[in-house]
Amino acid sequence: MNAFRTVIATCLTLVFDSAFASPIDISNALPNFFGAGIGSTTEYAGGKDRIVGVLPGMRYVTGGGHLFEWYGTYAQYNFGGLTGLQWGPALALRLGRRNVDDAVVSQVHDVSTTLEGGGFVGYEYSHIGDVPYRLRGEVTVVTNAGAVYTGARVSLNTSAWFPLHSRVFIGAGAGATWVSGGFNETYYGVTPEGAQKSGLPAFNPGGGLNQLTGWVAGIYRLAPKWYVGAMIYYQRLMGDAAASPIVMQRGTRNQLTYGVGLAYAFK
């Protein structure tokens, strides 16, 4: 995952998440699905150069009523209800920063790919009525136990979905992420050695608010079991992450991601 949690995976999360639980199809027996998506995002957190990636995704409700979700490099298992209180473990693969296109940033210390683990807790409300809608809020806490960075990352994400038609749905959401000083030091810091090699000033960031996010998306039901979606995801780096010379001198604090996905629903 890149320094944000794999933005492309987030794209797929938004696209697929709406496909299997659209406001028109609110029930406790949501279908399973699998699919894939393609998206474009920046090469690394705070950078300008872009990459394109393809990732799989799936959702599966076990016989015991528990929910497993896997979107690209992120997976979680919900021990709670399909609506109401939700909680469980979470795993994320965070991609590193190596051999990037920017010749200056490539001289800053490399960041290895690492596995993050932790958990989430959230709540989902599905309204059934003349104008059905679905609201969801979730807090996720993960760490990699010092394998690449020290400390933890805490994310708050909210979403809302509404129908425009029996086959067309729109959604929007917002979020924020707080990180430890060790996280920012790894992904946004510049060591004295890195400063000497790259020409960037040395920078030792602290922790705090790392980013604010917002997104809009649309879903179209092609057939009873097929869905296609598209979305735009915006991130604005905050605090010491935004103040990093990696971002200020070589990149941008405004990060834009967009993607499309196709999903097949099944029982």
Side-chain angles (χ1 to χ4, degrees):
M1 184 178 308
N2 68 14
F4 290 125
R5 168 189 163 182
T6 297
V7 179
I8 296 175
T10 305
C11 287
L12 301 183
T13 300
L14 300 174
V15 171
F16 292 144
D17 186 48
S18 60
F20 62 70
S22 66
I24 296 297
D25 184 26
I26 297 173
S27 71
N28 290 325
L30 305 176
N32 302 314
F33 82 87
F34 64 87
I38 183 171
S40 173
T41 188
T42 54
E43 188 178 13
Y44 56 90
K48 287 183 177 180
D49 297 316
R50 302 190 67 82
I51 58 173
V52 174
V54 177
L55 291 173
M58 72 171 294
R59 164 193 166 97
Y60 180 73
V61 180
T62 68
H66 298 305
L67 173 62
F68 171 72
E69 295 175 280
W70 167 45
Y71 307 114
T73 56
Y74 178 81
Q76 65 181 38
Y77 191 88
N78 175 25
F79 286 108
L82 298 180
T83 58
L85 182 64
Q86 302 175 335
W87 60 277
L91 289 176
L93 182 68
R94 176 168 291 276
L95 299 182
R97 186 183 66 217
R98 292 178 179 271
N99 302 317
V100 298
D101 290 339
D102 190 304
V104 173
V105 177
S106 67
Q107 299 302 312
V108 180
H109 64 274
D110 288 339
V111 180
S112 299
T113 297
T114 188
L115 183 66
E116 296 176 307
F120 76 95
V121 61
Y123 191 89
E124 182 170 320
Y125 173 73
S126 296
H127 177 76
I128 301 175
D130 294 337
V131 182
Y133 58 86
R134 185 168 66 92
L135 305 175
R136 186 177 186 179
E138 185 174 292
V139 175
T140 304
V141 181
V142 294
T143 181
N144 80 334
V148 171
Y149 67 85
T150 58
R153 180 169 57 88
V154 182
S155 298
L156 169 65
N157 291 290
T158 62
S159 65
W161 283 95
F162 303 88
L164 291 182
H165 182 271
S166 61
R167 302 177 71 174
V168 180
F169 320 107
I170 59 171
T177 301
W178 291 262
V179 300
S180 63
F183 180 97
N184 271 347
E185 183 179 348
T186 296
Y187 292 97
Y188 300 101
V190 180
T191 64
E193 181 182 0
Q196 185 176 14
K197 290 181 178 180
S198 66
L200 294 174
F203 184 67
N204 185 24
L209 180 62
N210 175 264
Q211 67 170 344
L212 299 176
T213 62
W215 58 268
V216 293
I219 301 295
Y220 180 72
R221 187 169 61 190
L222 295 171
K225 294 186 177 181
W226 287 97
Y227 299 82
V228 63
M231 61 84 63
I232 298 175
Y233 188 88
Y234 170 74
Q235 295 165 290
R236 182 171 176 82
L237 294 179
M238 305 295 291
D240 282 4
S244 168
I246 295 174
V247 177
M248 291 188 66
Q249 296 188 23
R250 304 302 303 179
T252 174
R253 69 186 299 182
N254 299 303
Q255 306 279 284
L256 187 66
T257 294
Y258 42 87
V260 296
L262 180 69
Y264 175 78
F266 64 96
K267 294 294 187 182

